[in-house]
C-alpha cells in the first residue's frame, strides 16, 4: 500500500512511522510513505502558505494555491488514484471499521492542516473524506495522520507475525479486548488465572469472551447499546455481572 502525506511537516509523520510494526512493514515493502510539503509549491521569497481568515478572528488559514499545486504533484506521482483524507476535528471519528476500509485501498493520501485549518474551497474541491481521531483539538493533523498510518499499516497482510492477532484485537468484533498475562505465573502483583493455564481451549475461549463482554459493559457501555447479544454471550455477560456486582458503570442502566 502507498500512503502520501501532505503536510508542512511530513518528516514528523515519517519519524512516527519509523519504528516497530510500521517500520517493519516499510522495510518489508508492504507499505511505502511519501511526504509532500505545500511550502515547496508556494511562491515568493517567503513561500507563504497561510494568511488571515476572512471575516476576522484569530488564527491563520492554509492557502488554496500551494496546497492545490502540492496535491497535483502528489496525484501525478503515481497512476493509482488516491483516496484523499483530510485530518480535522470536524471529520467523522476514526474507528477500527474505518481503519480496515482504508487499509484495503491501494493508495491513501493524508492531508494535514495547521493553524485554523484549510481554506474550505480546497477541501470541497480535493478532499474525499474528513476524519477526526477524537473530540479534542490538536495543533495540526500530523499526529492524527501518524495514528491513521499506524492503524492501517498493521492491517496489511504480512505485517503482523501472527496472522490471527489483528483479528483478536479490541474492536474487531465491536468489543474491548480481554486481559492478557505472561510469565511468571506467581507474582507479588497476582497470579495468572487458572483457566489460561488449563490447556482447555474451549474454556479459555469462553473465559476470554466473557472478559471481553464484561470489560466492554463496564468501561464502554456505549459499544453494547442497541446491540443484540447472542444467547450464549448474554449468559456469559449475566454471569460476569453477577460475579462483579457493584462494578456497575456510571450512569448505565443495565440490560
Ligand atoms: N487536527 C486537529 N485536531 C484533530 C483531531 N482531533 N483529529 C484529526 N485531525 C486533527
Amino acid at each position: 500500500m502507498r500512503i502520501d502525506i501532505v503536510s508542512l511537516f511530513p518528516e514528523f509523520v515519517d519519524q512516527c512511522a519509523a519504528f516497530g510494526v510500521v517500520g517493519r512493514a516499510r522495510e518489508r515493502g508492504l507499505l511505502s510513505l511519501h511526504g509532500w510539503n505545500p511550502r515547496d509549491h508556494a511562491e515568493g521569497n517567503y513561500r507563504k502558505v497561510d494568511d488571515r481568515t476572512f471575516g476576522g478572528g484569530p488564527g491563520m488559514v492554509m492557502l488554496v494555491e500551494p496546497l492545490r499545486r502540492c496535491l497535483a504533484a502528489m496525484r501525478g506521482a503515481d497512476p493509482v488514484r488516491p483516496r484523499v483524507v483530510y485530518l480535522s476535528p470536524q471529520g467523522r471519528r476514526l474507528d477500527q471499521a474505518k481503519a480496515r476500509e482504508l487499509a484495503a485501498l491501494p493508495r491513501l493520501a493524508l492531508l494535514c492542516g495547521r493553524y485554523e485549518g484549510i481554506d474550505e474551497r480546497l477541501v470541497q474541491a480535493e478532499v474525499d473524506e474528513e476524519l477526526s481521531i477524537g473530540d479534542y483539538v490538536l495543533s495540526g493533523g500530523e499526529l492524527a495522520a501518524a495514528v491513521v498510518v499506524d492503524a492501517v499499516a498493521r492491517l496489511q497482510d504480512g505485517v503482523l507475525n501472527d496472522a490471527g492477532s489483528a483479528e483478536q484485537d479490541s474492536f474487531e468484533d465491536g468489543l474491548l479486548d480481554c486481559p492478557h498475562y505472561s510469565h511468571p505465573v506467581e507474582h507479588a502483583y497476582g497470579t495468572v488465572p487458572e483457566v489460561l493455564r488449563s490447556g482447555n481451549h474451549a474454556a479459555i475461549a469462553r473465559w476470554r469472551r466473557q472478559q471481553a463482554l464484561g470489560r466492554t459493559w463496564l468501561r464502554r457501555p456505549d459499544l453494547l447499546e442497541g446491540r443484540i447479544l447472542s444467547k450464549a454471550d448474554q449468559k456469559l455477560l449475566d454471569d460476569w455481572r453477577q460475579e462483579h456486582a457493584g462494578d456497575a458503570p456510571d450512569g448505565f442502566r443495565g440490560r
Side-chain angles (χ1 to χ4, degrees):
M1 180 184 191
R2 173 182 174 124
I3 303 184
D4 295 273
I5 311 291
V6 179
S7 157
L8 290 171
F9 308 105
E11 306 80 12
F12 180 96
V13 184
D14 191 68
Q15 274 300 304
C16 286
F19 310 99
V21 166
V22 187
R24 206 167 59 223
R26 295 173 72 183
E27 278 163 25
R28 289 183 187 169
L30 300 168
L31 175 77
S32 65
L33 280 193
H34 305 264
W36 301 88
N37 194 334
R39 206 175 288 283
D40 296 337
H41 301 267
E43 286 180 330
N45 283 348
Y46 293 104
R47 294 193 167 271
K48 193 174 156 77
V49 290
D50 61 323
D51 206 340
R52 285 192 300 269
T53 173
F54 271 116
M60 305 286 268
V61 175
M62 286 179 76
L63 298 171
V64 174
E65 263 309 293
L67 275 171
R68 186 194 63 75
R69 285 195 288 264
C70 187
L71 284 164
M74 179 276 290
R75 288 182 193 275
D78 190 290
V80 176
R81 191 183 188 282
R83 167 100 58 103
V84 179
V85 171
Y86 171 35
L87 284 317
S88 103
Q90 282 73 49
R92 193 197 123 165
R93 187 107 55 89
L94 175 69
D95 59 17
Q96 192 63 18
K98 177 56 76 177
R100 276 220 173 268
E101 181 193 320
L102 298 179
L105 297 171
R107 189 179 181 199
L108 175 65
L110 299 174
L111 174 57
C112 306
R114 280 266 147 186
Y115 319 116
E116 290 309 297
I118 293 177
D119 189 307
E120 185 63 19
R121 293 167 294 179
L122 186 284
V123 177
Q124 292 297 324
E126 297 271 1
V127 167
D128 296 311
E129 127 177 48
E130 270 182 69
L131 266 190
S132 164
I133 63 161
D135 292 340
Y136 41 81
V137 180
L138 303 167
S139 53
E142 286 76 11
L143 268 174
V147 166
V148 173
V149 169
D150 193 294
V152 159
R154 59 193 299 288
L155 293 174
Q156 299 300 306
D157 281 346
V159 170
L160 297 183
N161 289 328
D162 175 359
S165 68
E167 272 91 66
Q168 284 169 25
D169 279 344
S170 290
F171 305 117
E172 278 301 339
D173 62 355
L175 299 177
L176 301 185
D177 199 4
C178 62
H180 298 276
Y181 299 86
S182 188
H183 295 284
V185 171
E186 302 281 355
H187 185 276
Y189 287 173
T191 305
V192 176
E194 156 92 68
V195 60
L196 297 177
R197 295 176 279 130
S198 67
N200 180 339
H201 296 299
I204 292 170
R206 214 176 318 114
W207 183 87
R208 287 183 166 156
R209 183 79 186 167
Q210 185 172 45
Q211 291 291 319
L213 285 160
R215 279 184 151 194
T216 307
W217 177 81
L218 192 63
R219 300 178 185 187
R220 290 290 307 277
D222 56 299
L223 294 176
L224 292 178
E225 260 164 56
R227 177 172 168 151
I228 315 244
L229 295 179
S230 70
K231 262 202 159 121
D233 277 351
Q234 190 64 58
K235 168 95 172 67
L236 286 173
L237 180 57
D238 290 344
D239 291 350
W240 187 94
R241 284 174 59 183
Q242 245 176 8
E243 251 176 68
H244 294 79
D247 293 358
D250 287 349
F252 186 65
R253 295 279 144 257
R255 45 185 64 237

